[in-house]
Amino acid sequence: MPQLSPARSRLALLALALGGFGIGTTEFVAMGLLPDIARDLMPALWEADQEAAIARAGIVITAYAVGVVVGAPTIAAAAARFPRKALLVWLTVAFALGSVASALAPSFETVVLFRFLAALPHGAFFGVAALVAASLLGPGKRGQAVAYVLAGLTIANVIGVPSITWLGQQTSWRVGYLAVAGVFVLCALAIVAAVPAMPGDPEATMRRELGAFRRPAVWFALLTGALGFGGLFAVYTYVSPLATEIAGAPERFVPIALIVLGIGTAIGNIIGGRLADRGALRAIFILFGALAASLLALALLASTLPGLLAGLFLVGLAASAISPAIQTRLMDVAGDAQTMAAAVNHSALNMGNSLGAFLGGAVIGAGWGYLAPTWVGLALVVPGVLCALAGWAVTRRDQVATTSDARENGDVELDMSVTASPASRP
């Protein structure tokens, strides 16, 4: 890659962040528009039982999450050799087409299908964009590179999601998705103009990339991320009824609640990137403690508007900070399969998205009320911490084994380099 001026590098990072902005908007805008989707596509159920209609509409969010889970490892494994700039452009075009198809879908079932298809490029885009950003920033800044790309996603929660939620409420949820498609068109043009040409990995093969899944530490990191984000999305999916039914706010207050949560995610992303560069596994333990405290605060304070806003801000901050830490951890333990590691994090996070949305809808559908998903999120923290501990134990065992083998072979210098390398540090 040719040497870029600082200004050109910033423009390239901005183009990548714009992709994250579009993805964050298309993924999260359904949270605020669930009542509108349910009212439009399931009128009979809406008239009979609005709570049940909203719970069923949550399947739209689950479908997107499942699409990410399926698409991230598949596309990352198949496309690791492709030139990265061209791959990013085509993935962005696919997002635009998926958003248009979602807006024009004639029934609830077809919306669910198109949301699944629209999500397939999600993880691959973030994975490839993170590798490009890391190349632009230089060594030792992988966590910050991930945070730069994810910054667009978190800013989407502050600007894109609330504004398009408002647009959808004033016009139609379909207009909201058409606006999202427009964002992706702008992103594709920005990538073409600003991101430098960058080759793929010529040594990459599908077998090598998929080989990352033979490592137990990779699986424990994925489960940790899924459970952590499950806690966030158990809350985030049902922000609209949480604000209107628990805090007693009017529907027009929902975008404000989303903005406050989005500000928390934007700040948390920056914090998480910096913590990850100082030690990803340590950052994960710190941030899970913060997430548990914030979910508890939300559960106890959500009945008042100030308490609701404070709780949403803290939940967004803690949960979003986990994402760069998990992605850096995956890149630490995935060996040569860096494209897969950078992409599959988003499979894990969207497994959490799907899990949180499903469990939140289940407890609401069971009649436990709109506050129940917050307690579900808190419960998911415990197995998340246990998975992080298991990942630490596996990494520690492998480091001890590597040290023992090196000493037996009389190669002490090799042992020291292995245990100190960024790829093996927790």
Side-chain angles (χ1 to χ4, degrees), residues 97-371:
L97 294 175
S99 299
V100 171
S102 300
L104 301 179
S107 66
F108 179 73
E109 290 74 18
T110 52
V111 169
V112 171
L113 172 63
F114 287 133
R115 294 317 295 153
F116 169 81
L117 295 175
L120 294 176
H122 180 123
F125 181 94
F126 274 124
V128 175
L131 294 177
V132 172
S135 297
L136 293 170
L137 289 177
K141 295 184 178 180
R142 288 178 306 162
Q144 292 178 62
V146 173
Y148 270 114
V149 176
L150 292 176
L153 187 150
T154 59
I155 293 172
N157 288 317
V158 181
I159 300 174
V161 174
S163 61
I164 293 183
T165 296
W166 177 85
L167 176 65
Q169 289 174 342
Q170 299 304 309
T171 56
S172 165
W173 64 270
R174 298 179 186 275
V175 174
Y177 277 114
L178 290 176
V180 170
V183 173
F184 283 119
V185 172
L186 292 176
C187 175
L189 295 174
I191 292 172
V192 170
V195 175
M198 190 175 297
D201 183 352
E203 305 297 324
T205 64
M206 183 173 288
R207 181 177 181 181
R208 191 191 77 177
E209 294 295 317
L210 293 175
F213 294 111
R214 292 196 297 266
R215 299 169 179 259
V218 168
W219 285 104
F220 284 123
L222 291 173
L223 288 170
T224 303
L227 292 165
F229 254 49
L232 170 63
F233 279 95
V235 173
Y236 199 170
T237 304
Y238 302 100
V239 163
S240 182
L242 185 65
T244 57
E245 301 298 327
I246 299 300
E251 189 175 83
R252 63 179 180 273
F253 182 81
V254 173
I256 298 174
L258 291 171
I259 289 172
V260 170
L261 193 151
I263 292 171
T265 63
I267 296 173
N269 178 61
I270 296 170
I271 294 172
R274 295 187 179 277
L275 286 176
D277 282 334
R278 298 177 182 177
L281 195 54
R282 180 178 61 181
I284 289 169
F285 286 121
I286 293 171
L287 295 170
F288 261 89
L291 178 60
S294 64
L295 285 165
L296 180 61
L298 177 62
L300 296 177
L301 302 175
S303 59
T304 67
L305 287 181
L308 173 70
L309 295 178
L312 290 175
F313 173 83
L314 293 173
V315 169
L317 187 150
S320 69
I322 291 174
S323 182
I326 291 291
Q327 185 152 330
T328 304
R329 171 66 176 167
L330 282 165
M331 295 168 77
D332 285 343
V333 300
D336 292 334
Q338 290 297 293
T339 302
M340 178 64 71
V344 79
N345 175 46
H346 297 278
S347 288
L349 300 185
N350 279 272
M351 286 172 62
N353 182 336
S354 178
L355 179 66
F358 172 78
L359 293 178
V363 294
I364 291 172
W368 294 0
Y370 289 116
L371 194 59

